[in-house]
Amino acid sequence: MKLFDLNRFSRNYGFLVKIGAAILYSVMIAVALNFFWRPGHIYSSGITGFAQIVNTVTSRYMPFTITTEVMYFALNVPLFILAWFKIGYEFTGYTIFAVAMSAIMMRFIQPTQVSLDPILCAIFGAAFNGIGTGMALKSGISTGGLDILGIVVRKKTGVNYGKFNILVNLIIVLIAGFLFDWSRALYTVLNIFINGRFIDSVYTQHNKLQVMIVTEHPNAIIEGIQEKMHRGITIFHDVEGAYGHTEKTVLLTIIDTYDLYDIRTTVEKCDPFAFMGVTEVQKVYGRFREQEVV
């Protein structure tokens, strides 16, 4: 018998796992920012990158300086409000905690002295942040920023969010080139790419899942799923449960990993007694709309 079962621990102590993951992420991003990105004049992706840009611009051209950690939290506040109304209070609560802890750690975890090659700063900064972000996503929490915007856009439109994320990061790279020099822009590109690879190595958010739902209330579940996500559903009528010999319906669909929370809560709301099985899918052929969230 295993002395420690991580999956069982996650199920029984989900709150502690999420809080621990948020604290780990906050430490990792603080180390990435203060030990590597800031000394190497390298920008992160997304909201963190824009917070760094505001810090650089205000320190250079303004009589006051807005610190990265303050701007990082401030830029997330409108997204907290959006998440509260469009996603859910539990999701928003964990996100606020993760972002607040990150801002605190950015302020207090400071190196004594760092002097590294910019390429090493890009690699190690991306590694620390990528591992921390991957662990947070794997534990079922968001790190704020573009995650929130991506989920809301996907829920409302079903459009490919990856294109928007590429555009945002392209803007950050161009600003890095103008503020410093184009070699720093190249290092920022390297940082963003490696960061994404580390996130994927810890937690691949674009994994496809096959979901099978056995229910006595298929119509309500179908309407709930198609309202929240743009997914096709195959319906198997007139199946029978072996235990009670009652007539049931089987629903079969393919989703992204990020859809799992939505589909689980929808099924629980429409039919608390429904049975749901989830398996990983290696390949998907045919008409399947990619819904990338970064």
Side-chain angles (χ1 to χ4, degrees), residues 3-293:
L3 295 178
F4 181 74
D5 189 329
L6 181 59
N7 291 329
R8 180 178 298 176
F9 183 84
S10 298
R11 290 193 299 269
N12 295 336
Y13 304 98
F15 173 77
L16 294 179
V17 170
K18 288 179 170 62
I19 293 298
I23 294 173
L24 173 63
Y25 166 74
S26 66
V27 172
M28 297 292 271
I29 192 175
V31 171
L33 175 67
N34 294 327
F35 284 70
F36 302 107
W37 292 336
R38 185 172 287 160
H41 303 299
I42 294 166
Y43 291 115
S44 176
S45 59
I47 293 296
T48 308
F50 276 112
Q52 291 177 265
I53 289 171
V54 172
N55 173 249
T56 301
V57 171
T58 54
S59 62
R60 284 189 178 187
Y61 307 111
M62 301 290 180
F64 56 89
T65 299
I66 301 177
T67 62
T68 301
E69 56 269 21
V70 170
M71 199 64 212
Y72 170 76
F73 188 85
L75 288 173
N76 272 288
V77 170
L79 299 175
F80 295 155
I81 299 172
L82 182 66
W84 182 273
F85 290 104
K86 298 297 183 180
I87 301 177
Y89 65 89
E90 183 178 349
F91 173 91
T92 307
Y94 285 119
T95 303
I96 292 174
F97 178 79
V99 172
M101 285 299 301
S102 298
I104 292 171
M105 295 299 180
M106 288 176 189
R107 174 66 179 85
F108 291 104
I109 298 181
Q110 300 285 342
T112 54
Q113 186 176 2
V114 174
S115 179
L116 293 176
D117 182 89
I119 295 180
L120 294 180
C121 288
I123 294 173
F124 283 103
F128 272 88
N129 184 70
I131 292 172
T133 304
M135 291 299 295
L137 294 173
K138 196 176 185 68
S139 301
I141 65 172
S142 167
T143 56
L146 298 183
D147 283 353
I148 295 174
L149 194 57
I151 293 173
V152 173
V153 169
R154 173 185 55 77
K155 285 163 68 72
K156 289 297 181 182
T157 66
V159 300
N160 188 317
Y161 185 72
K163 295 178 181 178
F164 176 77
N165 185 69
I166 291 172
L167 177 62
V168 170
N169 290 331
L170 177 61
I171 294 172
I172 292 174
V173 170
L174 292 176
I175 294 175
F178 282 111
L179 289 179
F180 294 107
D181 56 66
W182 293 105
S183 64
R184 302 292 170 169
L186 177 62
Y187 299 145
T188 298
V189 172
L190 177 65
N191 170 74
I192 292 172
F193 176 78
I194 295 175
N195 179 69
R197 296 303 94 194
F198 269 93
I199 292 175
D200 284 344
S201 67
V202 177
Y203 174 76
T204 304
Q205 64 187 26
H206 301 303
N207 276 347
K208 303 296 181 293
L209 303 174
Q210 177 177 280
V211 180
M212 181 188 69
I213 306 165
V214 182
T215 177
E216 295 182 16
H217 306 282
N219 292 333
I221 294 177
I222 291 171
E223 290 177 4
I225 292 175
Q226 293 184 337
E227 179 182 352
K228 287 191 172 184
M229 61 198 77
H230 300 260
R231 291 301 179 206
I233 302 172
T234 301
I235 306 172
F236 297 89
H237 293 289
D238 301 326
V239 298
E240 181 181 331
Y243 181 77
H245 297 284
T246 56
E247 183 178 310
K248 298 180 182 292
T249 300
V250 175
L251 307 176
L252 191 67
T253 186
I254 304 293
I255 63 172
D256 288 318
T257 304
Y258 257 108
D259 290 324
L260 185 57
Y261 175 82
D262 284 338
I263 201 170
R264 189 183 69 190
T265 53
T266 298
V267 171
E268 290 176 351
K269 179 181 178 180
C270 297
D271 184 2
F273 299 100
F275 171 82
M276 186 170 73
V278 180
T279 57
E280 290 189 4
V281 176
Q282 295 297 322
K283 293 290 183 180
V284 176
Y285 300 98
R287 299 181 62 185
F288 180 84
R289 176 180 293 177
E290 295 284 352
Q291 299 182 167
E292 298 182 21
V293 183

